[in-house]
Amino acid sequence: MKEQLPETDYKNKYEECNGRFEGVFEHTSAASKIINSDLEIVKVNRALIDLLGFSEAEIVGTKIMDYACKDVVHHWEDLQKAMWKHGQSYFKLDACLVRKDKTLAWVHITTVLFQQDKENFAYTVLDDFSYQKNLEEMEKRLSMALENSRMAVWELDLGDGSIVHTAGFKQLFGIQDPLKAWNREQLLRQFVREDADKLREVLAQISSETAIDFQGRIRTLDGVVRWVYLQGKPAGEAGHHPKKILGTITDITKEKLAERDKDDFIGIASHELRTPITALKASLQLLDTMKQGTNSKTASLITQANKSMHKITGLIDDLLNVNNLKEGQLQLRKSHFRIGSAIDDCCMHVTAEGVFEIIRSGDLDAEVEADSERIQQVVINLVNNAMKYAHGTREIRIDAKKMENALQVSVTDQGPGIEKEKLPYLFNRFYRADLSSGQYSGLGLGLYIAAEIIRRHKGQIGVDSTPGEGSTFWFTLPLDT
């Protein structure tokens, strides 16, 4: 016969179990509450208080419906019927609750029925999945945005060459089979051969520190040629060879067609203006030789007209240079020359005016093989840029520095500097860093032309700048090995 425990022992064990429950209930990291048959909250733990943002006094005595989002209230009504009317021992649902700060908390809810003092209560655990829900919503919005744009997202596995992509990728390339997998070689085959070779080279040189920034022409499966803009960044730890590339691809055909129309207009307009401008310039030069016999006001007007004509001629030359660059007509006449001599020749106009002082330093005796006239044009553009935007200072420094396989020439000013977000666009056509004041003239072509000349020499060009500390524009030229 089983020995009966004294009544005091039952009471002690009950209190011991209840104490354990209270401890687990209060200190568990899962938000928990106890509700009665009216869905009134009779007990909450610290995790639930933190989840909703209300105090315990504010929550206890209220009904869970007070926190439920309107479109999910019926779920709680289903729970109430199932557990208290039909005696179901547990119930699960996903619900949305409104926090004190009016933000939403999405929770997985598990409710277990239990009896105490002949009354049914429900112990409820709420698992917060708001972050997951918000992520899903963000993914939906992103997918909708991508579907309604000319952009697609892609991921390239550098190991096996497989490509994972969004639906917009298939639309861009005209892919009909929704199940067809893509890889690197299939992607390259879509590009026009010349552009495919360039992209292959870009992908071969990818590292953890580099990014893809490529424009090229594709031929869709239905034979249509489009321009696309391919961007991507390596995914993985810095310093390690990347395993994947994550990026976007955008249809820029409309932009390229508009750019072509603009180039055609610029080319025609520049050539048509050249003849009357040449005649006008000759007339002004003739007047300049005769101004000494006129009054001071007339002489001043002639001088000002010649200065304005010089600016107009420079703008037209820039436009013609851009047109030649776009059409591949810029010919390089390379020769060996001393870099210091080229700098002296092109900066004579600056020193002659006496407003700015050119300070030269470094390996000025270094010889390079390049187009001397074009390199002087680059230096002039960089110096003129410094004179234009750093007009509050006198010194402009030009430094030549021999590197391992190249010569670097830098032009440094002590001007206001350039904001970091503007630096990537400085060498774009028609871009001007400061349009707010309206005091700087020009079309924004000087740096673009300089960059194209250096690229034709297989060199590099760039800028280092800190607001308030000035700017250093630099370029490199390959040295004979």
Side-chain angles (χ1 to χ4, degrees), residues 35-277:
I35 54 177
N36 62 21
S37 59
D38 294 324
L39 301 186
E40 179 183 327
I41 301 172
V42 298
K43 191 176 184 64
V44 296
N45 71 349
R46 169 53 57 184
L48 184 67
I49 293 170
D50 293 339
L51 175 65
L52 295 179
F54 294 94
S55 66
E56 182 177 3
E58 290 174 310
I59 299 175
V60 173
T62 61
K63 292 188 175 183
I64 190 60
M65 305 287 246
D66 298 335
Y67 309 95
C69 299
K70 290 182 179 180
D71 54 345
V72 296
V73 166
H74 64 281
H75 291 319
W76 291 102
E77 294 172 346
D78 293 341
L79 178 147
Q80 188 178 29
K81 289 177 184 177
M83 301 193 78
W84 276 277
K85 187 174 181 179
H86 301 297
Q88 188 170 318
S89 59
Y90 71 93
F91 198 95
K92 290 186 176 183
L93 63 95
D94 288 345
C96 169
L97 302 176
V98 182
R99 297 186 177 100
K100 188 172 184 177
D101 62 4
K102 304 304 180 184
T103 60
L104 302 183
W106 287 90
V107 288
H108 298 301
I109 293 176
T110 303
T111 302
V112 179
L113 197 67
F114 71 94
Q115 192 177 72
Q116 183 174 325
D117 298 330
K118 297 182 179 181
E119 183 178 354
N120 286 334
F121 295 90
Y123 177 76
T124 303
V125 177
L126 299 86
D127 180 19
D128 184 7
F129 70 102
S130 301
Y131 289 116
Q132 179 183 342
K133 185 73 174 180
N134 292 337
L135 180 61
E136 290 174 356
E137 291 297 323
M138 288 174 62
E139 288 177 344
K140 286 181 182 178
R141 289 196 293 269
L142 178 60
S143 296
M144 289 177 62
L146 290 173
E147 286 175 8
N148 291 291
S149 69
R150 294 174 292 155
M151 180 184 293
V153 177
W154 55 275
E155 182 184 77
L156 168 64
D157 189 314
L158 294 173
D160 60 18
S162 61
I163 294 177
V164 179
H165 50 75
T166 59
F169 189 91
K170 293 184 177 182
Q171 294 172 6
L172 188 61
F173 286 96
I175 304 171
Q176 301 298 325
D177 185 358
L179 301 177
K180 187 177 180 180
W182 266 54
N183 58 40
R184 174 169 40 201
E185 291 306 314
Q186 286 173 299
L187 173 66
L188 290 169
R189 282 199 295 269
Q190 294 302 119
F191 280 84
V192 175
R193 178 174 294 180
E194 178 186 352
D195 295 339
D197 293 340
K198 293 177 181 177
L199 180 56
R200 191 187 302 275
E201 185 177 346
V202 169
L203 293 174
Q205 295 176 353
I206 197 73
S207 71
S208 61
E209 306 299 327
T210 59
I212 295 176
D213 191 81
F214 180 81
Q215 294 184 12
R217 293 155 295 171
I218 63 169
R219 183 172 280 106
T220 63
L221 297 182
D222 53 3
V224 177
V225 175
R226 292 177 180 170
W227 275 93
V228 294
Y229 183 25
L230 200 71
Q231 293 177 292
K233 284 191 174 182
E237 298 181 10
H240 293 77
H241 189 73
K243 296 182 179 179
K244 294 183 178 181
I245 300 173
L246 180 63
T248 59
I249 183 169
T250 311
D251 186 346
I252 58 169
T253 306
K254 289 182 179 179
E255 289 83 350
K256 283 293 183 181
L257 290 175
E259 186 178 298
R260 186 188 66 184
D261 292 341
K262 182 171 65 177
D263 291 339
D264 290 344
F265 170 76
I266 288 173
I268 293 169
S270 301
H271 283 288
E272 290 298 319
L273 284 170
R274 194 64 184 265
T275 301
I277 289 294

Side-chain angles (χ1 to χ4, degrees), residues 12 20 23 64 102 113-114 125 143-144 199 218 290 322 325 328 338 365 381 387 390 395 400 453 461 471 480:
N12 290 337
R20 288 175 180 171
I64 190 60
K102 304 304 180 184
L113 197 67
F114 71 94
V125 177
S143 296
M144 289 177 62
L199 180 56
I218 63 169
M290 302 166 57
V322 168
L325 286 167
R338 179 176 162 272
D365 290 327
N381 282 346
M387 292 168 60
E395 289 186 357
I453 290 172
I461 192 167
S471 305
D480 292 338

Side-chain angles (χ1 to χ4, degrees), residues 22 150 304:
E22 293 286 346
R150 294 174 292 155
Q304 184 60 46

